[in-house]
Amino acid sequence: MANRDRNSSVPLDSVSKAIIEQLQEDGRRAYATIGKAVGLSEAAVRQRVQKLLDQGVMQIVAVTDPLTVGFTRQAMVGITVEGDIEPIADALAAMDEVDYVVCTAGSFDLLAELVCEDDEHLLEMINKRIRALPGVRRTESFVYLKLRKQTYTWGTR
């Protein structure tokens, strides 16, 4: 899910919201099981899920624990930009090590989350790649020491 504007919401009915909530609880839940919970056939759930995927409303992905797959250093990097932030946001989004980029208001123009193999890799990313982007004026790194909460079950409200 990239490049989403805060004003680009897709209208969702209560059944679509219920399907999303079912998948937030368990992304591998069978369509037949979801259908029973929301009052639709398996085929109707399959169609709705595909439409939600096609519209960019949701993704169904495997979320890994970076530590268990060899990425021992994560950090959020605050970036102050001179000039237009869009080209820098696009350049950050194109980097494999960056899994999250957001344009912000406040002390930083951009926030980028990096997932790196180790401290040396993080240093290379910040020093040689991010700070080398034209227009980057300043960075501040927030190295993750311990993950206390990460959830994807905020529902649809």
Side-chain angles (χ1 to χ4, degrees):
M1 276 189 211
N3 240 350
R4 297 289 292 188
D5 189 310
R6 293 196 66 72
N7 298 322
S8 63
S9 66
V10 174
L12 300 174
D13 64 15
S14 61
V15 175
S16 291
K17 289 179 179 182
I19 291 169
I20 292 168
E21 289 170 357
Q22 290 280 315
L23 289 168
Q24 283 178 323
E25 289 175 15
D26 179 359
R28 295 175 26 158
R29 187 165 288 159
Y31 291 153
T33 304
I34 295 170
K36 287 177 187 167
V38 303
L40 291 178
S41 69
E42 179 180 351
V45 171
R46 181 176 286 107
Q47 281 184 320
R48 289 227 188 190
V49 168
Q50 191 58 55
K51 184 177 178 182
L52 293 166
L53 293 169
D54 292 345
Q55 292 175 323
V57 171
M58 66 177 189
Q59 298 175 0
I60 300 173
V61 298
V63 178
T64 61
D65 176 351
L67 292 174
T68 64
V69 291
F71 298 102
T72 61
R73 181 55 67 213
Q74 289 179 271
M76 185 66 69
V77 179
I79 303 160
T80 305
V81 172
E82 191 168 310
D84 187 3
I85 65 172
E86 296 289 336
I88 296 170
D90 291 342
L92 292 166
M95 296 178 187
D96 289 338
E97 295 86 349
V98 177
D99 68 354
Y100 177 82
V101 179
V102 63
C103 302
T104 66
S107 300
F108 301 105
D109 298 308
L110 299 165
L111 291 175
E113 184 178 62
L114 279 69
V115 179
C116 298
E117 294 168 13
D118 51 31
D119 287 337
E120 189 66 32
H121 186 198
L122 177 62
L123 178 61
E124 177 186 328
M125 286 299 302
I126 294 169
N127 198 39
K128 300 249 186 324
R129 299 202 40 213
I130 295 174
R131 288 183 179 158
L133 294 172
V136 171
R137 189 173 55 187
R138 182 175 79 86
T139 65
E140 185 173 345
S141 303
F142 303 90
V143 174
Y144 298 176
L145 299 176
K146 185 176 184 179
L147 180 63
R148 293 300 298 227
K149 181 178 181 180
Q150 182 174 18
T151 183
Y152 300 97
T153 56
W154 51 79
T156 57
R157 296 188 192 112

